[in-house]
Amino acid sequence: MTETKGVALVTGGSRGIGAGICLALARAGFDIAYTYVTASGPTAEQVQALGRQAVAIHGDVTSGPDRETVVAETIRQFGRLDVLVNNAGVAPKVRADILDADEDSYDRVMTTNLKGPYFLTQRVAREMVAWRQAGDAGFKCIVNVSSISAYTASVSRGDYCLSKAGIAMATALWAARLAEFGINVYEVRPGVIATDMTAGVKEKYDTLIGEGLTPIRRWGQPADVGQAVVACATGQLPFSTGEVINVDGGFHLRTL
């Protein structure tokens, strides 16, 4: 096994975009810790098959004690933590018009998608700052995975849109706060990505993409998002922080 380029902690790494990020980082030379809630999935074995170390940690980002356990276990296993990828998120269980949406859905989505990453970032950032102050000069960064829903109004998923808009501001806040310590913060903003979360709307988006919803007329893949995270994690954007990296097939261009 070659020397590691670093250790990355990816939340929600058992499937979908999170698994794609884990595998892309492993191919780039990172050892991987990832969180899961219900099932760890095959990600650890897939990472190990790529010649990297991997550990799956049961932990819910909405829980303060779980967040503490996840960080402590990552450091116990690897002795370091260089990259945090806030990927874990949920969609509303029911797509409800904002005139009818209920508070339980709002609380579930906002707590998972915004509060959890915000305070996990705080916990990891404190560790990274302490390492910096102790003389660690290695590249460190935090990557938030958001969505085109950060700026695209979907009136049947208001809570989800608000949570992703909040992630955009959280990225700016942490980028401003951590720059003095040489810790860069990025937002990777996926568009329509083929995962189990979007499986239920596949036919709809097959049609929309074919009609030109995105200039690049195909579904995005988890590996596409993973490659963007790798660019951040490997220090290829050293003079950028708070930057938004669109992985959306050009959706954001708003072409006529």
Side-chain angles (χ1 to χ4, degrees):
M1 182 179 294
T2 59
E3 183 178 355
T4 181
K5 287 187 178 178
V7 173
L9 169 59
V10 181
T11 63
S14 62
R15 59 191 177 88
I17 289 175
I21 291 169
C22 289
L23 296 179
L25 287 168
R27 291 187 185 96
F30 286 85
D31 293 325
I32 305 295
Y34 69 92
T35 70
Y36 69 95
V37 174
T38 55
S40 61
T43 306
E45 291 78 9
Q46 292 170 339
V47 167
Q48 291 162 357
L50 293 169
R52 304 311 322 166
Q53 297 182 64
V55 59
I57 306 171
H58 183 270
D60 187 337
V61 297
T62 69
S63 163
D66 278 16
R67 293 192 297 268
E68 182 65 34
T69 296
V70 165
V71 175
E73 183 63 13
T74 300
I75 295 171
R76 188 188 74 80
Q77 290 276 351
F78 296 109
R80 60 191 285 186
L81 176 51
D82 305 285
V83 178
L84 168 64
V85 183
N86 286 307
N87 165 76
V90 296
K93 290 182 179 178
V94 177
R95 291 186 176 225
D97 188 295
I98 56 176
L99 289 171
D100 304 315
D102 63 64
E103 291 189 36
D104 287 343
S105 176
Y106 181 94
D107 289 343
R108 170 180 172 270
V109 171
M110 293 294 282
T111 301
T112 303
N113 294 4
L114 183 56
K115 178 183 175 181
Y118 185 84
F119 284 103
L120 182 59
T121 296
Q122 180 191 74
R123 178 66 182 84
V124 171
R126 288 172 175 170
E127 292 287 345
M128 289 181 172
V129 168
W131 284 324
R132 276 284 187 262
Q133 293 172 335
D136 184 344
F139 185 78
K140 298 188 184 303
C141 76
I142 295 164
V143 182
N144 291 324
V145 179
S146 67
S147 166
I148 56 174
S149 293
Y151 64 89
T152 304
S154 298
V155 297
S156 63
R157 298 189 307 154
D159 40 16
Y160 186 81
C161 293
L162 286 170
S163 72
K164 295 304 183 178
I167 284 292
M169 176 51 72
T171 301
L173 288 166
W174 286 114
R177 183 65 184 91
L178 297 177
E180 68 178 282
F181 302 106
I183 301 168
N184 292 11
V185 184
Y186 306 97
E187 177 189 350
V188 171
R189 189 175 284 176
V192 182
I193 308 296
T195 68
D196 56 354
M197 186 180 288
T198 55
V201 291
K202 184 178 186 306
E203 185 175 346
K204 170 185 175 180
Y205 281 99
D206 281 344
T207 300
L208 289 173
I209 291 169
E211 292 173 347
L213 176 69
T214 55
I216 299 175
R217 296 193 182 192
R218 68 168 175 85
W219 281 77
Q221 299 297 322
D224 294 315
V225 183
Q227 284 301 110
V229 173
V230 166
C232 300
T234 53
Q236 296 182 50
L237 306 171
F239 198 51
S240 300
T241 193
E243 190 61 57
V244 177
I245 302 170
N246 291 290
V247 186
D248 63 0
F251 177 86
H252 67 282
L253 295 173
R254 298 186 178 98
T255 57
L256 292 175

